[in-house]
Amino acid sequence: MKIVQAFLMTISSLKSNKMRSFLTMLGMIIGVAAVIAMISIMDGMIDDTMSNFSDMGADTISVQLTGKGSNQLTSEDFYQFAEDNGEHFREVSPNISAGVNLRRKEQVKKDMLVYGVNECYADMNGLKIQEGRFLTYADMKTRSRVCVIGTYIRNCFFSDEDPIGEKINIGNDEYTVVGVMEERDNSTEYSWDAYIYAPYVRVSRMAGSAEPNGFTLKMTEPEQSEKAQQVLENYLYAFYHNKDCYRVTNQTSMLDMMDKMISMEKNVLVGIAGISLLVAGIGIMNIMLVSVSERTREIGIIKSLGARQRDIMKQFVIEAAVLSSLGGVIGIIIGGLLTTGMGNLIGLDCSPSIKAIGLSFGISTGIGLLFGYMPAKRAAKLNPIDALRSE
């Protein structure tokens, strides 16, 4: 029996039992669609998360000084440290924040955050300017009362006006707006767009501190982040002799950890979805066993006409493979639609993963062949005389 003949006979058999064939394929359709949707959406989430964190400075290390007393590292100490360790670090920015009231004319906003940074901070953290400019080295040296505002602040205080060059009161001092940041979030009160950036030398005074209590260092070679972190921690420990006096956060290590966590969650979800493929395979085996029982007399006639065991096996294995493959194709189509629809619903740019499509289709076809083998073998071993006697 040729494969084409076996395939045509399979199509004829499926057409004669349309509802049963559809219900048999349903488990495979659901399993394949679920696997594709899960993998594609989780891949989209991973890419989106990594992109967001990369924009925030994936190649940076942050230091928070928590030590008490006057014996503290200063911004000059960190500038010198970065210069002495140029093979690991190329830029450094002091960081300090203060809660302040903002006022312009009659309008007031209470308890807003102003961040004290230097001219390197925007580049280190992937911040982009929409209007005007960011802070400069000259602003630091001259202790200028200038600031860069987020889009939320712009909308609140300037509406349709051009804010560049205008004045705004930060705390008790009047500052000149020199730039507006590009929108990063949704321009609401508690988003990234509600931040104000000013020279750290000014914000330190607002916070009642002689020196900033935080620093961000940009690494020269992010792939050697662990070595750079160790150099920094050795420097800090040599100064404080107490690990409780500082906290070091390596963004690269955090990204790697987050990637592993999301990948683990993805594998668990895919495993759960994959169980439906196994159940679908059992369903195919069950239907094929029923089909063998129903077609016992037909098998006897075919064998009496000279069909060999391998011809019978080929017929039933192909039937199981067609059932699972057809279910897999329909599942791929539905999985692709689900991926796009769910991605749009949760605001992610998701597209069906080629890896997920290949994996799910390969597994569905393999399961069909595996679970179709036993019924096919049973059919092939039927005695022709006993088969012809069956009703």
Side-chain angles (χ1 to χ4, degrees):
M1 183 186 293
K2 295 182 179 180
I3 292 179
V4 175
Q5 290 177 308
F7 183 77
L8 292 174
M9 288 178 67
T10 295
I11 298 299
S12 177
S13 175
L14 295 180
K15 282 182 177 180
S16 63
N17 297 282
K18 293 177 183 177
M19 181 56 69
R20 188 171 74 180
S21 299
F22 172 73
L23 292 175
T24 304
M25 292 187 295
L26 189 58
M28 195 64 68
I29 292 169
I30 293 171
V32 169
V35 169
I36 290 174
M38 289 291 183
I39 292 178
S40 301
I41 290 173
M42 291 300 288
D43 283 346
M45 290 178 65
I46 290 173
D47 291 342
D48 184 65
T49 302
M50 294 303 151
S51 176
N52 287 338
F53 271 83
S54 295
D55 290 343
M56 292 167 58
D59 55 353
T60 61
I61 294 180
S62 300
V63 178
Q64 192 69 27
L65 303 181
T66 58
K68 306 295 183 181
S70 59
N71 188 29
Q72 288 276 28
L73 285 166
T74 67
S75 53
E76 293 302 323
D77 292 328
F78 271 91
Y79 284 134
Q80 189 61 50
F81 168 77
E83 185 178 336
D84 294 340
N85 294 274
E87 69 275 20
H88 299 299
F89 304 100
R90 55 177 175 173
E91 290 177 344
V92 60
S93 173
N95 310 323
I96 189 167
S97 62
V100 296
N101 294 333
L102 301 182
R103 180 169 52 85
R104 182 174 185 258
K105 298 178 181 178
E106 302 302 320
Q107 191 167 4
V108 177
K109 281 287 181 181
K110 295 183 177 181
D111 301 322
M112 303 301 291
L113 279 178
V114 56
Y115 279 82
V117 297
N118 72 0
E119 71 281 2
C120 302
Y121 188 83
D123 177 63
M124 292 168 67
N125 290 274
L127 304 182
K128 296 179 181 178
I129 292 291
Q130 179 178 303
E131 301 175 50
R133 64 172 177 83
F134 196 69
L135 305 174
T136 65
Y137 177 73
D139 295 330
M140 308 300 140
K141 296 299 290 182
T142 59
R143 298 175 177 266
S144 300
R145 289 192 177 95
V146 295
C147 67
V148 179
I149 61 175
T151 50
Y152 171 75
I153 306 299
R154 183 193 196 285
N155 296 340
C156 284
F157 288 94
F158 299 98
S159 188
D160 296 329
E161 298 179 56
D162 182 3
I164 306 302
E166 296 295 325
K167 306 292 183 181
I168 187 171
N169 283 81
I170 301 177
N172 298 322
D173 297 321
E174 188 177 66
Y175 282 70
T176 301
V177 177
V178 296
V180 178
M181 303 303 301
E182 190 175 279
E183 186 178 55
R184 299 178 65 189
D185 210 333
N186 51 10
S187 294
T188 55
E189 185 171 357
Y190 300 104
S191 67
W192 290 99
D193 302 315
Y195 290 176
I196 308 162
Y197 299 95
Y200 72 90
V201 289
R202 283 288 172 188
V203 180
S204 294
R205 293 183 61 186
M206 294 183 203
S209 173
E211 287 288 340
N213 59 1
F215 296 87
T216 302
L217 298 97
K218 189 178 184 69
M219 291 177 282
T220 305
E221 298 181 15
E223 60 274 11
Q224 296 186 15
S225 63
E226 292 184 5
K227 187 174 181 180
Q229 180 177 344
Q230 190 60 54
V231 170
L232 177 58
E233 289 182 342
N234 290 343
Y235 172 73
L236 293 169
Y237 188 79
F239 184 86
Y240 288 106
H241 302 289
N242 186 348
K243 292 184 178 180
D244 294 333
C245 291
Y246 56 86
R247 184 171 64 251
V248 177
T249 304
N250 188 337
Q251 296 291 346
T252 302
S253 298
M254 286 182 65
L255 280 174
D256 291 341
M257 187 182 302
M258 187 169 294
D259 185 29
K260 289 178 182 177
M261 288 177 62
I262 297 177
S263 296
M264 189 181 299
E265 291 175 1
K266 180 179 77 172
N267 292 336
V268 170
L269 291 174
V270 170
I272 294 171
I275 292 174
S276 62
L277 290 176
L278 181 63
V279 174
I282 295 172
I284 288 174
M285 182 174 67
N286 182 52
I287 290 301
M288 294 307 298
L289 287 170
V290 171
S291 181
V292 169
S293 298
E294 290 178 346
R295 295 159 63 184
T296 301
R297 187 174 180 80
E298 177 190 330
I299 293 169
I301 293 172
I302 294 173
K303 294 192 84 172
S304 66
L305 292 174
R308 294 165 294 182
Q309 282 193 11
R310 66 182 184 184
D311 294 324
I312 304 298
M313 280 197 69
K314 184 191 299 180
Q315 172 65 40
F316 282 91
V317 168
I318 287 176
E319 191 168 321
V322 168
L323 269 173
S324 58
S325 299
L326 190 55
V329 170
I330 297 172
I332 288 170
I333 296 170
I334 294 175
L337 295 174
L338 269 176
T339 298
T340 305
M342 291 178 68
N344 292 335
L345 190 65
I346 61 179
L348 283 178
D349 183 17
C350 297
S351 57
S353 167
I354 299 299
K355 177 182 68 176
I357 291 173
L359 179 66
S360 56
F361 184 75
I363 291 175
S364 65
T365 304
I367 283 177
L369 292 171
L370 177 66
F371 284 92
Y373 177 77
M374 192 172 79
K377 190 173 182 180
R378 180 179 174 180
K381 286 185 176 181
L382 284 174
N383 187 297
I385 297 174
D386 293 336
L388 286 169
R389 285 176 181 170
S390 69
E391 294 295 333

